Amino acid sequence: MIKALICLVFGFAATVLVSFLGAYHTAHPAIQPGVDTPEEYKRTIRELISSHVKGENIIANLRAITTEPHVAGTEANRRVADTIANIWRTNQLEHVHFAEYDVLLSYPDYNNPNTAEIVDSDGQISYISEGVSKVILPEEQGAPGAGVRWVAYASNGTVQGDLVYCHQGTEQDFEYLSQQGVSVQGRIAVLRYGGGFRGNKVKNAALNGAVGAILYSDPADVARAGIDDSHVYPATEWMPSTGAQRGSIMVGDGDPLTPVYPSKNYTYRARTVQQAKDELIIPSIPVLPMSYGDVQNLLSQMGGRRVPTTWQGGLKNLTYRLGPGFVNRDLQVRIHVRSTLQRRTIRNVIGYIRGNQEPDRYVILGNHFDAWVYGSVDPNSGTAVLAEVGRALTAVINETGWRPSRTIIFCAWDAEEFGLIGSTEWVQEHADLLARRAVVYLNVDSIFGNASMYATAVPSMYKAATDAAKNIPNPMASERQANRTTVYDTWVRSFPGKFKSRPDAPDMPVPSGGSDHATFINYLGIPVIDFEYRNYTNYDTYPLYHTLYETHTLNEKILDTNNFAVHVAVGQYWAELARMFADSPILPINVSDYAKAIADVYLPDLRDALRQAQPQSELKIAFDQLNFVEKAAARLVQAAGEFEPSIDEAMEFFEMNPFDQRQISAVNERLVAADRCFVNPRGLPGNPTARHVLFAISKHDAYSGKVMPGVYDQLDDLRDAKTKAERQTAIQRLAQQISIVQYSIECAINNLADII
Ligand SMILES: *[C@@H]1O[C@H](CO)[C@@H](O)[C@H](O)[C@H]1NC(C)=O
Ligand SMILES: *[C@@H]1O[C@H](CO)[C@@H](O)[C@H](O)[C@H]1NC(C)=O
Ligand SMILES: *[C@@H]1O[C@H](CO)[C@@H](O)[C@H](O)[C@H]1NC(C)=O
Ligand SMILES: *[C@@H]1O[C@H](CO)[C@@H](O)[C@H](O)[C@H]1NC(C)=O
Ligand SMILES: *[C@@H]1O[C@H](CO)[C@@H](O)[C@H](O)[C@H]1NC(C)=O
Ligand SMILES: *[C@@H]1O[C@H](CO)[C@@H](O)[C@H](O)[C@H]1NC(C)=O
Ligand SMILES: *[C@@H]1O[C@H](CO)[C@@H](O)[C@H](O)[C@H]1NC(C)=O
Ligand SMILES: *[C@@H]1O[C@H](CO)[C@@H](O)[C@H](O)[C@H]1NC(C)=O
């Protein structure tokens, strides 16, 4: 069908265009649509691009990028950066180059893996944990040291003590322990993965006095079908007993030594390692990850009270107990962590497709390429697809003479795994220009399931994200058989929308801190969509996340078995979003949706929260501010509605006067500026890089996004206030934060008006 269309297009190449297509004609000299509307032309280009995204190329890219473990800052990862740059150059991306930074990273001792031991009071050791995961596919996983288990930025050292089972290590979990009279002071916290970012778990444990921590994945989360061989990898996608999740436990974004500024050689290192530890950005305690096979040997000996039913895990024949310590009080646990902090060079790979009408307006596509081990899912499923998106776009440019109006920038980020470092440093380096020139940032981290598309996005993106998905064929035969013919059909069924103003949009939560889009939105107010293909599951992520077993067999033989149909669909969707933002005369940014999200969702939620806050008698000033801001939000909804006709007028004018872009440019500038109005240059109190007034990374869990962070942080402070004076301070600050939200809304209203 696609082939027929291409013939049709070339068959009519000589067709004369009517005048209102003039702009398209200029932009696209070699391809002249026989079909004679811009809509048809758009569809032609879209389908051509889609037809060029090939599963076999993505597989080849993936294999080329995942031949060896490639942790950021290593020679192996330099080679991967070179491989990516070579693929991009072969694919004819322009000006492919590296953007380098020297940043603080962390490494284990690969010759001397971290371990946990059981020791008695005479120093006799009765058990030593495996420090290394077992190689299951030697031809893919056999590199020396690949199986070593570690977490980045753990403190170097040896500690000994009683264990305390702290469930997921949330603030609530530690509160529960303290209510039960179980303290982690001077002890070793056992922290179960799931329910939040591991760095926050470790931070909570350290704040409660733990001297060390063990992170582990429980079979109830990662081996739900059972732990025997037939139910785990390599037979299935579930974690085998020897798997362990690696990761970073730094709580912060970017190089910890150069806050706010890029880590160039000229940059003064304004924060020392010791200061980073004092500020709890880097932990001061040794931490190691363990497999459930290993941790069973520790948990099965624990004494103390039984855990509440929601804390019980899936290890068989085992009653989980809080501790502290073992039934046999003569035994304790000792952990050895060998780690170093090192400043090393990282390299982002950057490439371009230059726009032919507005080359200084940027549509940015990004994915990171550094991995904990081989990284075939996280992140190189995305890396392999991004390279193919570039190839598909340049192929259509080469074949047809079409070229997008705006510039598309391709970014392969380094050191994301350590704390979004590569993307953050680049954004910090180019902050001013990006704030003025970037139109949108489109992120893919990983493709880790085949059940459904899933995205987080700012509300102005809901429409574009939804519309694009309606044009992408469903990659799963089973879904097509159920008449769900597009990616959209499955997505909206899996994650039904909650936003009344756009009932056809799937649910798209607030952007989180889990990947490289975070700095773009939170620091600069650049609208973002972050998307992936995944399973419908409550668990944070996929079972083999950050394990040795993320090698290409997992993608090819387990997760996406039909010639990479799912990877292809993600590539088609990414390319289509890029096309929409880079080539639509009017940017597909919907300010009405933004306004309505504030007026119909965020502020009503805040009113509910204020109604529940105590003491109501002291909250009058906060309610007064809320009344103000609600009226402002209603005015923003109205202003956005009244702006719509100017969008249509600008488009009509452009169709009649295709060589005069002034009107559409003016409209586009305002659509882009809507988000910038919500950037407060001062940042949140105490956090100069959390500048978006509506969205931030949660203080309590760096994986999750948070709405109106400044406001809700003050509500937290009010809840925790002990004295009347503390309460009053919190309420005053709460009122001020609400008025700052209004300040941004007033900016957004003025932004849509010709005169202020
Ligand atoms: C910093 O300077 C060193 C020594 O000249 C060099 O090796 C390194 O690549 C430079 N780093 C950056 C980010 O430019
Ligand atoms: C659990 O206990 C049963 C009966 O004692 C035993 O047959 C089984 O092997 C045990 N399972 C595990 C995983 O230890
Ligand atoms: C780590 O600690 C050990 C002692 O526990 C010490 O011998 C070693 O030098 C330390 N390594 C680093 C990099 O600080
Ligand atoms: C560009 O297109 C021509 C045919 O139109 C083809 O021969 C050539 O291989 C293409 N180049 C690339 C890099 O796709
Ligand atoms: C799919 O649609 C066709 C045509 O509308 C209909 O005949 C068929 O029953 C539908 N199948 C399912 C599974 O709904
Ligand atoms: C993913 O979904 C499939 C069914 O679509 C199911 O068999 C599998 O167990 C799920 N995996 C996870 C990790 O939830
Ligand atoms: C989809 O993923 C599940 C695991 O979640 C796997 O069992 C199944 O084979 C996959 N299907 C395809 C077509 O890739
Ligand atoms: C924004 O969404 C509203 C509501 O669906 C719609 O009426 C309007 O045309 C959209 N505007 C743009 C510019 O897409």
Side-chain angles (χ1 to χ4, degrees), residues 619-697:
L619 278 164
K620 182 170 182 309
I621 55 168
F623 277 107
D624 286 348
Q625 288 301 145
L626 182 62
N627 292 336
F628 271 133
V629 74
E630 284 173 345
K631 293 201 185 80
R635 280 187 282 120
L636 179 59
V637 171
Q638 193 185 349
E642 286 167 5
F643 188 65
E644 296 285 346
S646 17
I647 300 176
D648 298 340
E649 276 163 31
M651 190 59 205
E652 274 163 34
F653 179 84
F654 176 65
E655 282 171 356
M656 294 303 170
N657 306 276
F659 297 102
D660 186 346
Q661 298 218 1
R662 280 173 302 172
Q663 285 207 26
I664 55 166
S665 295
V667 163
N668 284 335
E669 215 148 278
R670 294 200 186 160
L671 292 173
V672 171
D675 237 299
R676 309 294 199 268
C677 279
F678 291 92
V679 174
N680 177 353
R682 287 153 200 239
L684 287 182
N687 190 347
T689 56
R691 302 199 303 180
H692 204 291
V693 166
L694 294 179
F695 308 115
I697 296 170

Side-chain angles (χ1 to χ4, degrees), residues 463 501-502 586-587 589-593 596 644 647 671:
K463 184 175 189 318
S501 306
R502 188 164 294 290
I586 302 278
L587 287 167
I589 295 175
N590 196 298
V591 179
S592 286
D593 283 350
K596 286 176 190 159
E644 296 285 346
I647 300 176
L671 292 173

Side-chain angles (χ1 to χ4, degrees), residues 497-520:
K498 300 175 181 160
F499 186 44
K500 284 200 217 73
S501 306
R502 188 164 294 290
D504 68 332
D507 185 33
M508 286 178 250
V510 171
S512 68
S515 191
D516 292 301
H517 54 277
T519 313
F520 286 88

Side-chain angles (χ1 to χ4, degrees), residues 78 99-103 263-266 269 343-346:
R78 272 186 91 78
E100 300 196 340
Y101 306 94
D102 285 357
V103 302
S263 306
K264 307 294 286 184
N265 271 345
Y266 67 75
R269 265 54 189 174
R343 259 179 67 184
R344 292 204 186 164
T345 302
I346 59 166

Side-chain angles (χ1 to χ4, degrees), residues 198-479:
R198 71 185 80 70
N200 293 95
K201 298 167 190 274
V202 170
K203 182 174 174 179
N204 293 338
L207 280 170
N208 282 277
V211 294
I214 292 168
L215 287 156
Y216 86 103
S217 301
D218 197 281
D221 301 314
V222 297
R224 288 197 191 145
I227 62 170
D228 52 299
D229 285 353
S230 66
H231 289 118
V232 299
Y233 181 86
T236 75
E237 65 182 314
W238 297 106
M239 193 192 269
S241 68
T242 170
Q245 182 191 123
R246 291 146 191 80
S248 173
I249 52 177
M250 174 172 83
V251 182
D253 290 343
D255 176 29
L257 306 186
T258 59
V260 189
Y261 294 98
S263 306
K264 307 294 286 184
N265 271 345
Y266 67 75
T267 311
Y268 179 66
R269 265 54 189 174
R271 193 192 271 130
T272 63
V273 170
Q274 190 53 50
Q275 283 166 336
K277 289 188 174 183
D278 294 345
E279 293 173 41
L280 301 179
I281 293 166
I282 297 176
S284 303
I285 60 174
V287 183
L288 59 86
M290 284 175 75
S291 66
Y292 62 81
D294 271 3
V295 92
Q296 174 149 20
N297 295 295
L298 306 180
L299 296 187
S300 59
Q301 304 202 39
M302 283 182 73
R305 224 168 289 178
R306 293 180 71 144
V307 303
T309 45
T310 50
W311 288 28
Q312 171 75 27
L315 287 166
K316 290 286 171 295
N317 296 357
L318 203 155
T319 301
Y320 287 57
R321 296 186 178 277
L322 298 176
F326 290 142
V327 175
N328 178 349
R329 301 296 302 156
D330 192 44
L331 302 180
Q332 284 195 323
V333 168
R334 183 158 68 198
I335 63 180
H336 296 284
V337 173
R338 290 103 181 174
S339 65
T340 60
L341 291 170
Q342 293 183 20
R343 259 179 67 184
R344 292 204 186 164
T345 302
I346 59 166
R347 310 204 292 174
N348 298 326
V349 192
I350 310 286
Y352 297 80
I353 293 177
R354 275 173 69 94
N356 63 1
Q357 310 269 314
E358 300 179 83
D360 66 349
R361 288 295 173 271
Y362 304 149
V363 173
I364 306 173
L365 277 52
N367 153 270
H368 73 96
F369 64 90
D370 66 303
W372 289 118
V373 199
Y374 294 88
S376 75
V377 173
D378 179 1
N380 300 130
S381 53
T383 321
V385 170
L386 182 60
E388 183 63 357
V389 168
R391 202 194 59 79
L393 288 165
T394 56
V396 173
I397 289 170
N398 178 39
E399 273 174 22
T400 67
W402 168 82
R403 183 173 272 278
S405 307
R406 305 182 186 91
T407 292
I408 302 176
I409 307 186
F410 291 76
C411 303
W413 307 118
D414 202 350
E416 185 268 3
E417 291 295 2
F418 284 82
L420 317 182
I421 294 180
S423 58
T424 299
E425 298 307 317
W426 191 77
V427 168
Q428 289 176 347
E429 180 174 8
H430 301 294
D432 185 69
L433 290 185
L434 288 172
R436 282 189 274 148
R437 296 181 179 178
V439 163
V440 69
Y441 177 73
L442 304 169
N443 193 69
V444 173
D445 192 295
S446 323
I447 296 144
F448 58 86
N450 59 37
S452 176
M453 177 68 76
Y454 176 83
T456 64
V458 298
S460 55
M461 299 288 109
Y462 291 167
K463 184 175 189 318
T466 304
D467 290 350
K470 289 178 180 173
N471 284 317
I472 308 302
N474 202 315
M476 294 292 280
S478 50
E479 289 295 291

